[in-house]
Amino acid sequence: MSNAALNLDDDIDVSTPDCDSLDLVIRPRVKDLGDGFVVRRLLPFHKRRMVGPFIFFDHFGPVEYAPGTGFDVRPHPHIGLSTVTYLFEGAITHKDTVGSDLVIRPGAVNWMTAGGGIVHSERTPAPERAAGQRLHGIQTWVALPADLQDIPADFVHHPADSLPVFDLGGAKMQLIAGAGWGHNSPVEFPHPIWYLAGDAPGGAAFEIPADAAAERAVYVADGTVTVGSETLDTGAMGILQPECAAFVQAGAGAKFMLAGGAPYPERRLIDWNLVATDRGLIEAAKRDWQNSAENGWRNTRFTLPEGEQDYIPSPR
């Protein structure tokens, strides 16, 4: 969804405190993308580029759109990653170059794999544009394994009722992707991962085991969540201490996300909407995107989703 240029290639060491505290707390960088559409960006962060395979994490909204208004993210390319937009409220029309054309709604998972290249757009659906809507959600990007970063593009939709839902210490948890806490999501990813949405209307208390994943994070979408001795408020991401169990207490009404997985042995680069192990792959994708536009999308690497005409130019 977001198209602000990114280029964070510097690693910074992070000190390690005791198990009762978090390894790092990330406060969001707030970005206004226009027309009242504000995102809180958590990953990549200069002190923590990734959590397992998670390389990008944006929290957008809540934003109120009056009747006759909406948002339009014009077609743009991705490589080397999978994306998922998870909605708490509202609806988004997704169109891409593998033929997908559907409306994303709360609780469903729409897993787009860019691989060697995909183009997609995100817009307010016509009925919601006419009536107005409240939009609120999370978009994450998950880097593909190095040997699969150029696989064919794909898109898979999983309705909300197909995902595991279970109680975790009083919180209603939905397993978006991967495996955890004895449950398996139908969303397949070729690398150890789990990603969950939690809702705690009456509060909750639970543990995230030390061996649940090598890298783990808690993100607070609404309310407060205490991890060990530290309380996180809305918009904060807590990176858990490696090899430490974490005791979590969610305040009444809290909504939160849990993300975890194994890190990759290779470094990942991220620039614009492109992810790769090699800078040359990113620069080639930028050139190919611009060349595709200049050649009218004919016999080129990239094209536009059916019915789309406008696009976001490649950054120089």
Side-chain angles (χ1 to χ4, degrees):
M1 176 174 293
S2 176
N3 296 285
L6 290 169
N7 187 357
L8 301 174
D9 293 344
D10 296 327
D11 291 325
I12 297 179
D13 292 333
V14 178
S15 60
T16 303
D18 60 71
C19 275
D20 190 45
S21 60
L22 292 164
D23 188 39
L24 178 68
V25 176
I26 301 175
R27 303 293 177 185
R29 291 148 290 159
V30 179
K31 296 182 177 290
D32 188 341
L33 301 184
D35 298 323
F37 192 80
V38 174
V39 300
R40 301 179 179 96
R41 181 153 302 159
L42 285 303
L43 295 176
F45 185 61
H46 66 285
K47 290 184 179 180
R48 173 70 68 154
R49 296 176 51 78
M50 300 174 67
V51 174
F54 292 88
I55 194 168
F56 181 93
F57 194 104
D58 257 11
H59 178 188
F60 55 91
V63 58
E64 298 277 358
Y65 286 106
T69 66
F71 78 97
D72 293 281
V73 179
R74 295 168 292 159
H76 55 279
H78 289 284
I79 64 167
L81 54 81
S82 292
T83 74
V84 58
T85 298
Y86 185 86
L87 295 181
F88 301 115
E89 300 176 86
I92 296 173
T93 294
H94 166 98
K95 295 180 71 174
D96 63 40
T97 46
V98 297
S100 309
D101 184 355
L102 79 167
V103 176
I104 301 171
R105 298 196 181 277
V109 169
N110 299 273
W111 194 271
M112 184 181 78
T113 298
I118 196 170
V119 179
H120 78 130
S121 64
E122 295 160 295
R123 302 182 186 273
T124 299
E128 282 75 11
R129 193 181 295 269
Q133 71 164 338
R134 179 179 167 93
L135 184 66
H136 187 199
I138 306 283
Q139 185 175 88
T140 56
W141 301 352
V142 185
L144 289 166
D147 60 343
L148 298 175
Q149 62 185 327
D150 61 351
I151 60 174
D154 191 24
F155 182 90
V156 181
H157 170 77
H158 296 278
D161 60 8
S162 71
L163 303 176
V165 175
F166 61 96
D167 178 85
L168 185 61
K172 177 184 176 181
M173 306 299 297
Q174 184 181 43
L175 184 59
I176 298 169
W181 286 270
H183 300 272
N184 292 276
S185 168
V187 178
E188 298 180 355
F189 189 71
H191 186 79
I193 188 178
W194 42 256
Y195 184 40
L196 303 98
D199 186 8
F206 58 91
E207 183 180 85
I208 301 178
D211 61 357
E215 297 182 352
R216 301 155 297 158
V218 177
Y219 177 71
V220 185
D222 193 22
T224 61
V225 174
T226 299
V227 183
S229 60
E230 299 186 54
T231 298
L232 305 172
D233 54 10
T234 301
M237 175 177 282
I239 307 298
L240 306 188
Q241 280 289 1
E243 301 180 358
C244 288
F247 183 66
V248 179
Q249 292 181 287
K255 294 183 184 296
F256 57 93
M257 313 298 287
L258 304 181
Y264 287 125
E266 316 89 357
R267 190 180 190 185
R268 287 300 183 283
L269 304 176
I270 178 170
D271 191 342
W272 193 35
N273 306 300
L274 313 169
V275 170
T277 55
D278 183 85
R279 168 62 60 183
L281 296 174
I282 290 176
E283 295 304 322
K286 284 184 182 179
R287 290 192 303 271
D288 289 346
W289 176 244
Q290 195 61 36
N291 291 338
S292 295
E294 292 171 356
N295 285 296
W297 315 103
R298 295 184 298 272
N299 301 318
T300 57
R301 176 181 179 181
F302 295 110
T303 186
L304 297 180
E306 186 174 353
E308 294 281 11
Q309 296 181 346
D310 201 1
Y311 66 96
I312 297 174
S314 174
R316 299 294 183 179

